Amino acid sequence: MTRENAKRIFIAGRTGSGKSTLARSMFRGAGARVIVCDPKGDWQHERGFKAIVTAPGWPLALLRTLRTHWQKGFKIALVPPPDGGSPAQDLIETCKLLFKVQKPYHERQDDRQITLVMEEMSFSYRQGVVSPEAYAPVQSMIRMGRDWGVNMIGITQSPGTVNRDYRANCAEVYLFALGISDAKSVTDVKALIKDPALKSAYDTMPNYHYIRITDHSCDMLKTKK
Ligand SMILES: Nc1ncnc2c1ncn2[C@@H]1O[C@H](COP(=O)(O)OP(=O)(O)O)[C@@H](O)[C@H]1O
Ligand SMILES: [Mg+2]
């Protein structure tokens, strides 16, 4: 059986720069299998998305929804309740659940991958939010998502604050313009741009433009609405 490798992807940029538009273009079409950890509730009204509120007992609701839609695909936004919730805890529980539902993939009895989108990842996977031990399921997914058929797309306005083990060795990094207040993040991401011409172009790059970096390429592109 040949299977395409599941990928880990990082998308950084200021509000309105086009991050979610780009993420959406990665799973357009029928049969998508997507779960978005959506702390700000941006995705729940997107076409084809079903929202699950992460109130007590929500992992069971998610499991049921996945079972119902397992054959045809699903687009689910996990949204915290309006009076609080914990993006970190939601991400941790989601990773735990993905290790359960993707067990057949790991055992080579099923080929279907899932895409986990972590919207506003600087809230959900940042040092000091929960103990390092509590993050173990997320760390495992970062290390082993490939073998479990879980693609990960991390999205943030503040790349410097996302835990380094996610950022390191992503298959693809997409850099949109960042907010000027986040000088440390700007320095961090510019270090990833190896092409000097693109590095200087990045400083004045308008919205909807981004630099795509892989192991062997670095290009400036534009989102398609
Ligand atoms: N190439 C484009 N041309 C015009 N508008 C765009 C383009 N790409 C994205 N947009 C629009 O810009 C707005 C912000 O994009 P969005 O992807 O939501 O940004 P972000 O997620 O970074 O905040 C959205 O209304 C989106 O439809
Ligand atoms: Mg967005």
Side-chain angles (χ1 to χ4, degrees):
M1 202 175 350
T2 57
R3 315 202 270 189
E4 216 179 298
N5 281 335
K7 284 180 186 162
R8 175 149 47 90
I9 291 169
F10 193 45
I11 304 176
R14 65 190 170 206
T15 303
S17 58
K19 304 182 295 299
S20 303
T21 303
L22 175 68
R24 228 179 287 122
S25 73
M26 292 174 178
F27 50 77
R28 219 169 252 152
R33 310 167 70 74
V34 185
I35 299 173
V36 184
C37 287
D38 186 16
K40 294 213 290 200
D42 291 340
W43 288 70
Q44 56 181 326
H45 305 298
E46 289 282 334
R47 232 184 88 199
F49 271 86
K50 178 186 163 63
I52 293 178
V53 176
T54 58
W58 67 268
L60 199 58
L62 176 57
L63 201 56
R64 287 205 185 106
T65 305
L66 292 178
R67 285 219 177 100
T68 309
H69 300 279
W70 194 253
Q71 298 300 334
K72 288 194 171 160
F74 43 82
K75 291 179 182 174
I76 298 164
L78 298 173
V79 185
D83 59 349
S86 161
Q89 206 55 47
D90 290 353
L91 177 58
I92 291 163
E93 293 301 324
T94 303
C95 288
K96 282 191 201 166
L97 188 136
L98 285 173
F99 276 115
K100 281 188 197 139
V101 299
Q102 288 300 91
K103 198 159 182 271
Y105 184 98
H106 187 242
E107 291 172 353
R108 302 193 159 259
Q109 291 153 6
D110 193 329
D111 267 354
R112 283 168 289 198
Q113 300 187 346
I114 291 187
T115 299
L116 171 62
V117 179
M118 294 156 285
E119 189 55 88
E120 302 290 355
M121 198 178 188
S122 33
F123 297 131
S124 60
Y125 196 53
R126 146 186 225 149
Q127 222 151 16
V129 175
V130 300
S131 72
E133 295 76 35
Y135 268 140
V138 186
Q139 275 154 357
S140 300
M141 193 55 83
I142 290 167
R143 256 185 298 119
M144 304 190 294
R146 229 169 94 140
D147 303 325
W148 293 76
V150 177
N151 297 281
M152 302 176 91
I153 303 178
I155 304 177
T156 181
Q157 297 174 37
S158 185
T161 63
V162 172
N163 268 351
R164 188 171 287 280
D165 57 351
Y166 186 82
R167 293 181 274 143
N169 305 312
C170 277
E172 297 165 11
V173 176
Y174 297 84
L175 303 177
F176 289 83
L178 287 166
I180 47 164
S181 59
D182 201 350
K184 171 79 170 66
S185 284
V186 175
T187 324
D188 277 9
V189 303
K190 277 187 76 175
L192 298 171
I193 308 171
K194 302 298 179 205
D195 180 328
L198 286 182
K199 203 193 275 274
S200 69
Y202 181 73
D203 290 332
T204 53
M205 198 171 66
N207 282 351
Y208 317 143
H209 290 71
Y210 59 89
I211 294 178
R212 176 183 192 269
I213 303 166
T214 71
D215 272 345
H216 31 252
S217 71
C218 187
D219 308 284
M220 191 181 290
L221 299 157
K222 195 179 173 191
T223 56
K224 288 184 194 73
K225 247 195 93 170

